[in-house]
Amino acid sequence: ASHPQLVNKPPIGLPVEVQRAFSEALICRGADAPNGSLLMSRRALQEALNDLKAPPGDLPRQLQALVDSQTITPMLREFADQARIGGRIAGHGNGGREWGDPSKIWGDRNDADIVIEFLTRFLQYVYVMKKEIDDFKAAKKLSTPPSAPTPAPQSPTPEPA
């Protein structure tokens, strides 16, 4: 069966270690080595968490800390968590229960494609989109989002007698 190539290269602007790991995940997927792709996707996620200064701990705690600090959204945590699960299946032969299949001990091409798609979105948000908004704000000399104008106070309307 033919599989669509969802992503063929890493997003532009990633830190070097994140790009290195993600590029290798893409190479493995292209070589029909889905478990290698899953492992390197997991490594790319870990490199991103290190770069984003996530505190030490296991991956779920690191992701939650980034949600708590508003570095990522809860939805992005879910996207990133798929790389954790895929890496666990590929590296340890367990974790399939989290994808609804307790007997799953090996990743397949579809798993690699899905993890790469979710990881791409995560990396685009934390690196590419953040840089775009930072560049825009710098060009406009904005330090914070513009606040809504404060409505003028209204004097109480006298009630009819």
Side-chain angles (χ1 to χ4, degrees):
S2 174
H3 298 279
Q5 291 292 320
L6 303 175
V7 177
N8 292 315
K9 58 185 178 181
I12 294 172
L14 301 180
V16 67
E17 294 301 324
V18 177
Q19 180 178 351
R20 179 178 179 182
F22 194 69
S23 293
E24 198 163 318
L26 294 171
I27 291 167
C28 287
R29 186 187 64 181
D32 201 24
N35 289 284
S37 181
L38 290 167
L39 285 170
M40 292 312 298
S41 292
R42 169 66 177 82
R43 172 74 182 267
L45 175 60
Q46 189 63 60
E47 293 295 345
L49 295 178
N50 294 345
D51 180 69
L52 295 168
K53 309 290 188 254
D58 65 18
L59 199 136
R61 283 191 192 103
Q62 289 182 302
L63 288 170
Q64 187 57 49
L66 293 178
V67 170
D68 293 345
S69 69
Q70 297 185 0
T71 302
I72 64 172
T73 66
M75 183 184 296
L76 284 169
R77 177 189 57 211
E78 293 296 317
F79 281 21
D81 206 39
Q82 303 317 306
R84 176 190 65 81
I85 297 166
R88 186 170 173 190
I89 291 168
H92 302 286
N94 61 39
R97 178 172 280 112
E98 293 184 80
W99 278 349
D101 182 359
S103 67
K104 186 174 198 60
I105 60 170
W106 292 99
D108 59 30
R109 177 67 185 249
N110 187 55
D111 298 332
D113 287 345
I114 289 168
V115 166
I116 283 175
E117 181 66 24
F118 281 129
L119 187 56
T120 298
R121 292 176 185 186
F122 175 84
L123 296 173
Q124 285 174 327
Y125 179 87
V126 297
Y127 292 112
V128 179
M129 293 172 67
K130 181 181 182 323
K131 182 177 181 333
E132 288 172 355
I133 195 66
D134 290 347
D135 290 350
F136 172 78
K137 287 174 16 180
K140 298 289 186 186
K141 297 178 178 46
L142 300 174
S143 58
T144 57
S147 59
T150 306
Q154 297 185 354
S155 53
T157 308
E159 293 190 17

